[in-house]
Short mmCIF file of all heavy atoms in Angstrom, two decimals:
data_model
loop_
_atom_site.label_atom_id
_atom_site.label_comp_id
_atom_site.label_asym_id
_atom_site.label_seq_id
_atom_site.Cartn_x
_atom_site.Cartn_y
_atom_site.Cartn_z
N LEU A 108 146.31 74.10 143.75
CA LEU A 108 147.25 74.51 144.79
C LEU A 108 146.53 74.97 146.06
O LEU A 108 147.13 75.04 147.13
CB LEU A 108 148.14 75.67 144.30
CG LEU A 108 149.17 75.37 143.22
CD1 LEU A 108 149.88 76.67 142.83
CD2 LEU A 108 150.20 74.36 143.72
N PHE A 137 158.92 96.62 147.63
CA PHE A 137 158.33 97.77 148.34
C PHE A 137 159.05 97.96 149.68
O PHE A 137 159.47 99.06 150.03
CB PHE A 137 156.83 97.55 148.60
CG PHE A 137 155.93 98.13 147.54
CD1 PHE A 137 155.94 97.64 146.24
CD2 PHE A 137 155.06 99.19 147.84
CE1 PHE A 137 155.11 98.18 145.27
CE2 PHE A 137 154.23 99.74 146.87
CZ PHE A 137 154.25 99.23 145.58
N GLY A 139 161.92 96.93 150.58
CA GLY A 139 163.31 97.31 150.35
C GLY A 139 163.46 98.80 150.07
O GLY A 139 164.50 99.40 150.32
N GLY A 217 149.87 101.37 129.56
CA GLY A 217 149.06 101.09 128.37
C GLY A 217 148.00 102.14 128.10
O GLY A 217 147.51 102.81 129.01
N PHE A 232 158.97 108.53 126.29
CA PHE A 232 158.08 107.72 125.46
C PHE A 232 157.01 108.60 124.82
O PHE A 232 156.80 109.74 125.22
CB PHE A 232 157.40 106.63 126.30
CG PHE A 232 156.42 107.17 127.30
CD1 PHE A 232 155.06 107.15 127.02
CD2 PHE A 232 156.85 107.71 128.49
CE1 PHE A 232 154.14 107.67 127.94
CE2 PHE A 232 155.94 108.23 129.41
CZ PHE A 232 154.59 108.21 129.13
N VAL A 237 147.46 103.25 116.86
CA VAL A 237 147.59 102.10 115.96
C VAL A 237 146.28 102.02 115.18
O VAL A 237 145.28 101.49 115.65
CB VAL A 237 147.86 100.80 116.75
CG1 VAL A 237 147.99 99.62 115.80
CG2 VAL A 237 149.14 100.95 117.57
N HIS A 253 157.39 79.00 126.82
CA HIS A 253 158.72 79.53 127.03
C HIS A 253 158.91 79.75 128.52
O HIS A 253 157.96 79.93 129.25
CB HIS A 253 158.93 80.83 126.25
CG HIS A 253 158.38 82.03 126.92
ND1 HIS A 253 158.93 83.26 126.82
CD2 HIS A 253 157.33 82.17 127.74
CE1 HIS A 253 158.25 84.11 127.53
NE2 HIS A 253 157.27 83.49 128.10
N LEU A 255 161.43 82.18 130.64
CA LEU A 255 162.56 83.10 130.50
C LEU A 255 163.70 82.77 131.45
O LEU A 255 164.86 82.90 131.11
CB LEU A 255 162.09 84.53 130.75
CG LEU A 255 161.23 85.16 129.66
CD1 LEU A 255 160.91 86.58 130.03
CD2 LEU A 255 161.94 85.12 128.32
N LYS A 325 153.24 106.11 111.47
CA LYS A 325 152.75 107.50 111.52
C LYS A 325 152.40 108.00 110.12
O LYS A 325 151.49 108.80 109.94
CB LYS A 325 153.81 108.42 112.15
CG LYS A 325 153.89 108.29 113.65
CD LYS A 325 154.90 109.30 114.18
CE LYS A 325 155.11 109.15 115.66
NZ LYS A 325 156.35 109.80 116.10
N VAL A 405 154.25 70.16 112.86
CA VAL A 405 154.67 70.18 114.27
C VAL A 405 153.86 69.18 115.11
O VAL A 405 154.31 68.71 116.16
CB VAL A 405 154.54 71.61 114.85
CG1 VAL A 405 154.85 71.67 116.32
CG2 VAL A 405 155.45 72.58 114.09
N SER A 421 143.95 99.39 136.51
CA SER A 421 142.94 100.20 137.19
C SER A 421 142.32 99.42 138.34
O SER A 421 142.39 98.19 138.38
CB SER A 421 141.83 100.60 136.22
OG SER A 421 141.30 99.44 135.62
#
Side-chain angles (χ1 to χ4, degrees):
L108 290 177
F137 266 66
F232 68 100
V237 180
H253 82 148
L255 287 183
K325 283 184 185 162
V405 176
S421 55

